[in-house]
Amino acid sequence: QVQLVQSGAEVKKPGSSVKVSCKASGGTFSSYAISWVRQAPGQGLEWMGGIIPIFGTANYAQKFQGRVTITADESTSTAYMELSSLRSEDTAVYYCVAAAGNWYFDLWGRGTLVTVSS
Amino acid sequence: EIVMTQSPATLSVSPGERATLSCRASQSVSSNLAWYQQKPGQAPRLLIYGASTRATGIPARFSGSGSGTEFTLTISSLQSEDFAVYYCQQYNNWPPVTFGGGTKVEIK
């Protein structure tokens, strides 16, 4: 059974960038499309973008265009999400999620808390 | 972008009772609709996809219905572990996929 193992919590200054990783444990990315979904404190779920590792091209929500970069390294079964120009509103838990077929999410990582504070 | 609207925002139900949650799409998403359950401090869990297909390991008391723009998640007899927040998500028109704002099911 594939599990998604995310990197640890981060504290960042406004204006800086953060890069969160997500490694598939117990399997590979080959069968999945990987997305990133975030959840601000007490709020709902927000899709940021996704990538199909075997194709390598990412798609992004318009809200995050130009500020987010999603990549995947098939050799290490690891996906990355980098968010730049951080502001306090970016404080959230960032989930790595995987879709085995269509774009609904069978697998979820435990989440990475990113706190943006001066 | 397709907007997903869930109602009610909060649903108060007694254990053993039926809960009915609604999700409406701003335009047709066919049957490309999923439901998730999220408990405090946990990641969401997939319950339903294709509007009505239960994910692996999901109890039969959870059922989904609908197509087009109107969808329903029904929990036939609420158990203590079912009190949580539920989200719908469309994946018909992506990017982006979009989520509803959630319905919190609380103990009455």
Side-chain angles (χ1 to χ4, degrees):
Chain A
Q1 171 74 356
V2 175
Q3 292 186 321
L4 302 177
V5 181
Q6 297 186 223
S7 51
E10 304 261 13
V11 179
K12 293 293 183 179
K13 299 286 189 188
S16 67
S17 298
V18 67
K19 190 170 186 177
V20 182
S21 67
C22 169
K23 182 175 176 60
S25 171
T28 68
F29 279 154
S30 300
S31 303
Y32 296 94
I34 304 297
S35 283
W36 291 86
V37 172
R38 78 176 188 180
Q39 186 171 38
Q43 302 301 309
L45 303 170
E46 184 173 36
W47 184 81
M48 301 178 68
I51 189 168
I52 301 175
I54 57 173
F55 297 142
T57 302
N59 289 283
Y60 304 113
Q62 188 167 8
K63 174 178 179 178
F64 299 101
Q65 284 276 3
R67 216 164 58 94
V68 68
T69 303
I70 294 173
T71 56
D73 183 343
E74 275 199 278
S75 67
T76 59
S77 296
T78 304
Y80 301 90
M81 185 284 298
E82 184 169 22
L83 187 62
S84 62
S85 303
L86 289 169
R87 37 214 189 222
S88 59
E89 311 88 89
D90 293 318
T91 294
V93 175
Y94 289 76
Y95 292 104
C96 171
V97 298
N102 222 319
W103 287 83
Y104 55 86
F105 306 121
D106 315 74
L107 297 175
W108 292 69
R110 289 194 172 189
T112 296
L113 175 62
V114 175
T115 303
V116 183
S117 174
S118 55
Chain B
E1 174 176 315
I2 296 177
V3 177
M4 307 300 293
T5 303
Q6 291 187 241
S7 61
T10 303
L11 185 62
S12 298
V13 186
S14 299
E17 289 188 339
R18 173 188 295 257
T20 302
L21 290 65
S22 295
C23 175
R24 175 177 293 177
S26 61
Q27 64 188 78
S28 176
V29 298
S30 186
S31 294
N32 295 310
L33 190 286
W35 290 94
Y36 301 86
Q37 176 194 66
Q38 186 178 32
K39 297 179 181 180
Q42 296 184 16
R45 174 177 71 147
L46 177 68
L47 296 176
I48 301 282
Y49 61 92
S52 61
T53 302
R54 279 189 301 277
T56 302
I58 301 304
R61 64 181 181 272
F62 291 92
S63 63
S65 64
S67 66
T69 62
E70 300 284 344
F71 300 88
T72 300
L73 175 70
T74 301
I75 312 170
S76 60
S77 177
L78 272 159
Q79 307 297 303
S80 56
E81 62 267 29
D82 300 334
F83 292 96
V85 179
Y86 293 83
Y87 294 96
C88 62
Q89 176 228 331
Q90 71 80 21
Y91 50 93
N92 188 63
N93 279 29
W94 79 273
V97 300
T98 48
F99 293 89
T103 292
K104 181 180 181 180
V105 177
E106 64 176 25
I107 300 174
K108 187 174 182 180

